[in-house]
Amino acid sequence: MGIWTMMALIIVAIILALSLKSRNPEISSLISLAICICIIGICVGRIGAIIDSLKTITGYINMDQSYLFILLKLIGISYICEFASGISKDAGYSAVASQIELTGKLTMMMISLPVLMQVVETILCMM
């Protein structure tokens, strides 16, 4: 499905959700959630090409594959937290959305610590 077709369908669904929001807010929220899930499904389908490109790049520079997996985890955590935060904000729970964003940032920091430690070790070896 092309980007123009996807965006057209999304805009139609958003207009439908907005028109139902005043009469039936529950259905409007479900339409919004369905739009988000469809978009995530489309993005997941395209991740394979990104992973192949990243593997090619890591092959060129002889980089450890574990760093690639850390990068993919960080991207996944970012998308999941942004999705959950957006849904929470849309439902009117902005305090929960802020906590989701904080949790995501802390989780990403924790997962990226091995990379930071490797950078520090490399700098120390150079001295």
Side-chain angles (χ1 to χ4, degrees):
M1 180 182 299
I3 189 76
W4 293 106
T5 307
M6 287 187 309
M7 293 304 126
L9 290 173
I10 290 167
I11 290 171
V12 168
I14 290 171
I15 291 170
L16 177 64
L18 287 173
S19 66
L20 291 174
K21 192 170 191 169
S22 62
R23 287 180 271 154
N24 201 343
E26 296 84 16
I27 299 294
S28 177
S29 295
L30 288 176
I31 291 172
S32 174
L33 182 63
I35 293 168
C36 292
I37 290 172
C38 288
I39 292 170
I40 286 176
I42 292 166
C43 291
V44 166
R46 295 180 178 191
I47 286 179
I50 295 170
I51 292 173
D52 290 341
S53 297
L54 288 173
K55 284 183 179 180
T56 302
I57 291 170
T58 58
Y60 289 147
I61 59 175
N62 295 325
M63 190 173 94
D64 187 8
Q65 292 288 325
S66 64
Y67 297 129
L68 175 64
F69 293 122
I70 290 172
L71 177 64
L72 292 175
K73 282 182 187 179
L74 293 173
I75 292 169
I77 291 169
S78 171
Y79 284 141
I80 290 168
C81 289
E82 186 175 344
F83 174 72
S85 174
I87 293 296
S88 298
K89 284 179 185 175
D90 195 37
Y93 295 100
S94 59
V96 174
S98 297
Q99 296 305 311
I100 290 170
E101 291 170 0
L102 177 64
T103 303
K105 289 174 187 175
L106 291 173
T107 304
M108 289 189 296
M109 182 181 243
M110 184 183 70
I111 288 176
S112 65
L113 280 176
V115 176
L116 178 63
M117 293 303 296
Q118 185 64 40
V119 169
V120 169
E121 287 176 14
T122 303
I123 292 172
L124 290 174
C125 287
M126 294 175 136
M127 297 177 117

mmCIF file of all heavy atoms in Angstrom, residues 110-127:
data_model
loop_
_atom_site.group_PDB
_atom_site.id
_atom_site.type_symbol
_atom_site.label_atom_id
_atom_site.label_comp_id
_atom_site.label_asym_id
_atom_site.label_seq_id
_atom_site.Cartn_x
_atom_site.Cartn_y
_atom_site.Cartn_z
ATOM 1 N N MET A 110 18.738 2.387 30.540
ATOM 2 C CA MET A 110 19.233 1.148 31.120
ATOM 3 C C MET A 110 19.745 0.201 30.032
ATOM 4 O O MET A 110 20.799 -0.424 30.183
ATOM 5 C CB MET A 110 18.121 0.473 31.928
ATOM 6 C CG MET A 110 18.556 -0.771 32.654
ATOM 7 S SD MET A 110 17.199 -1.574 33.501
ATOM 8 C CE MET A 110 16.247 -2.196 32.134
ATOM 9 N N ILE A 111 19.020 0.097 28.934
ATOM 10 C CA ILE A 111 19.418 -0.813 27.863
ATOM 11 C C ILE A 111 20.671 -0.318 27.147
ATOM 12 O O ILE A 111 21.478 -1.110 26.676
ATOM 13 C CB ILE A 111 18.238 -1.020 26.882
ATOM 14 C CG1 ILE A 111 17.181 -1.875 27.563
ATOM 15 C CG2 ILE A 111 18.695 -1.658 25.581
ATOM 16 C CD1 ILE A 111 15.940 -2.075 26.759
ATOM 17 N N SER A 112 20.863 1.000 27.091
ATOM 18 C CA SER A 112 22.019 1.541 26.375
ATOM 19 C C SER A 112 23.287 1.601 27.231
ATOM 20 O O SER A 112 24.344 1.964 26.725
ATOM 21 C CB SER A 112 21.692 2.926 25.823
ATOM 22 O OG SER A 112 21.460 3.828 26.878
ATOM 23 N N LEU A 113 23.203 1.247 28.500
ATOM 24 C CA LEU A 113 24.386 1.286 29.368
ATOM 25 C C LEU A 113 25.556 0.438 28.865
ATOM 26 O O LEU A 113 26.703 0.877 28.967
ATOM 27 C CB LEU A 113 24.013 0.893 30.794
ATOM 28 C CG LEU A 113 23.379 2.010 31.621
ATOM 29 C CD1 LEU A 113 22.970 1.489 32.991
ATOM 30 C CD2 LEU A 113 24.304 3.186 31.760
ATOM 31 N N PRO A 114 25.332 -0.776 28.317
ATOM 32 C CA PRO A 114 26.493 -1.527 27.803
ATOM 33 C C PRO A 114 27.244 -0.786 26.695
ATOM 34 O O PRO A 114 28.472 -0.852 26.629
ATOM 35 C CB PRO A 114 25.879 -2.825 27.265
ATOM 36 C CG PRO A 114 24.603 -2.978 28.020
ATOM 37 C CD PRO A 114 24.123 -1.595 28.288
ATOM 38 N N VAL A 115 26.535 -0.052 25.868
ATOM 39 C CA VAL A 115 27.194 0.718 24.806
ATOM 40 C C VAL A 115 28.018 1.844 25.426
ATOM 41 O O VAL A 115 29.167 2.080 25.033
ATOM 42 C CB VAL A 115 26.152 1.277 23.806
ATOM 43 C CG1 VAL A 115 26.813 2.163 22.771
ATOM 44 C CG2 VAL A 115 25.382 0.151 23.152
ATOM 45 N N LEU A 116 27.443 2.525 26.406
ATOM 46 C CA LEU A 116 28.172 3.594 27.093
ATOM 47 C C LEU A 116 29.422 3.048 27.776
ATOM 48 O O LEU A 116 30.498 3.655 27.703
ATOM 49 C CB LEU A 116 27.261 4.285 28.112
ATOM 50 C CG LEU A 116 27.908 5.387 28.944
ATOM 51 C CD1 LEU A 116 28.372 6.538 28.061
ATOM 52 C CD2 LEU A 116 26.933 5.874 29.995
ATOM 53 N N MET A 117 29.291 1.903 28.413
ATOM 54 C CA MET A 117 30.447 1.296 29.074
ATOM 55 C C MET A 117 31.534 0.940 28.058
ATOM 56 O O MET A 117 32.725 1.110 28.333
ATOM 57 C CB MET A 117 30.017 0.057 29.863
ATOM 58 C CG MET A 117 29.125 0.365 31.052
ATOM 59 S SD MET A 117 29.843 1.521 32.229
ATOM 60 C CE MET A 117 31.227 0.596 32.813
ATOM 61 N N GLN A 118 31.154 0.464 26.896
ATOM 62 C CA GLN A 118 32.132 0.128 25.855
ATOM 63 C C GLN A 118 32.841 1.384 25.361
ATOM 64 O O GLN A 118 34.051 1.361 25.115
ATOM 65 C CB GLN A 118 31.446 -0.595 24.694
ATOM 66 C CG GLN A 118 32.391 -1.071 23.632
ATOM 67 C CD GLN A 118 33.352 -2.121 24.153
ATOM 68 O OE1 GLN A 118 32.981 -2.989 24.912
ATOM 69 N NE2 GLN A 118 34.606 -2.035 23.744
ATOM 70 N N VAL A 119 32.109 2.473 25.227
ATOM 71 C CA VAL A 119 32.724 3.729 24.808
ATOM 72 C C VAL A 119 33.731 4.200 25.850
ATOM 73 O O VAL A 119 34.849 4.616 25.513
ATOM 74 C CB VAL A 119 31.636 4.810 24.561
ATOM 75 C CG1 VAL A 119 32.249 6.193 24.388
ATOM 76 C CG2 VAL A 119 30.791 4.454 23.350
ATOM 77 N N VAL A 120 33.356 4.119 27.121
ATOM 78 C CA VAL A 120 34.273 4.530 28.192
ATOM 79 C C VAL A 120 35.514 3.646 28.189
ATOM 80 O O VAL A 120 36.647 4.148 28.320
ATOM 81 C CB VAL A 120 33.548 4.491 29.565
ATOM 82 C CG1 VAL A 120 34.530 4.658 30.712
ATOM 83 C CG2 VAL A 120 32.454 5.552 29.626
ATOM 84 N N GLU A 121 35.351 2.331 28.031
ATOM 85 C CA GLU A 121 36.498 1.429 27.991
ATOM 86 C C GLU A 121 37.406 1.730 26.809
ATOM 87 O O GLU A 121 38.632 1.695 26.925
ATOM 88 C CB GLU A 121 36.026 -0.021 27.929
ATOM 89 C CG GLU A 121 35.451 -0.530 29.220
ATOM 90 C CD GLU A 121 34.895 -1.938 29.108
ATOM 91 O OE1 GLU A 121 35.181 -2.628 28.100
ATOM 92 O OE2 GLU A 121 34.162 -2.361 30.026
ATOM 93 N N THR A 122 36.823 2.060 25.666
ATOM 94 C CA THR A 122 37.611 2.395 24.482
ATOM 95 C C THR A 122 38.420 3.666 24.710
ATOM 96 O O THR A 122 39.603 3.747 24.352
ATOM 97 C CB THR A 122 36.699 2.567 23.261
ATOM 98 O OG1 THR A 122 35.952 1.368 23.071
ATOM 99 C CG2 THR A 122 37.489 2.891 22.003
ATOM 100 N N ILE A 123 37.789 4.658 25.331
ATOM 101 C CA ILE A 123 38.500 5.913 25.631
ATOM 102 C C ILE A 123 39.626 5.667 26.604
ATOM 103 O O ILE A 123 40.746 6.193 26.453
ATOM 104 C CB ILE A 123 37.507 6.975 26.155
ATOM 105 C CG1 ILE A 123 36.563 7.404 25.038
ATOM 106 C CG2 ILE A 123 38.244 8.172 26.743
ATOM 107 C CD1 ILE A 123 35.430 8.291 25.496
ATOM 108 N N LEU A 124 39.372 4.839 27.628
ATOM 109 C CA LEU A 124 40.411 4.542 28.608
ATOM 110 C C LEU A 124 41.598 3.787 27.989
ATOM 111 O O LEU A 124 42.745 3.985 28.379
ATOM 112 C CB LEU A 124 39.838 3.770 29.792
ATOM 113 C CG LEU A 124 38.905 4.555 30.713
ATOM 114 C CD1 LEU A 124 38.298 3.642 31.768
ATOM 115 C CD2 LEU A 124 39.642 5.725 31.369
ATOM 116 N N CYS A 125 41.307 2.913 27.032
ATOM 117 C CA CYS A 125 42.378 2.179 26.357
ATOM 118 C C CYS A 125 43.239 3.106 25.491
ATOM 119 O O CYS A 125 44.418 2.835 25.282
ATOM 120 C CB CYS A 125 41.791 1.060 25.503
ATOM 121 S SG CYS A 125 41.172 -0.309 26.472
ATOM 122 N N MET A 126 42.661 4.169 24.990
ATOM 123 C CA MET A 126 43.383 5.100 24.148
ATOM 124 C C MET A 126 44.320 6.013 24.950
ATOM 125 O O MET A 126 45.250 6.574 24.409
ATOM 126 C CB MET A 126 42.428 5.961 23.347
ATOM 127 C CG MET A 126 41.610 5.214 22.327
ATOM 128 S SD MET A 126 40.452 6.331 21.585
ATOM 129 C CE MET A 126 40.617 5.875 19.894
ATOM 130 N N MET A 127 44.042 6.127 26.235
ATOM 131 C CA MET A 127 44.851 7.035 27.064
ATOM 132 C C MET A 127 46.137 6.415 27.492
ATOM 133 O O MET A 127 46.505 5.408 27.626
ATOM 134 C CB MET A 127 44.049 7.479 28.281
ATOM 135 C CG MET A 127 42.823 8.281 27.884
ATOM 136 S SD MET A 127 41.863 8.719 29.313
ATOM 137 C CE MET A 127 42.013 10.479 29.206
#
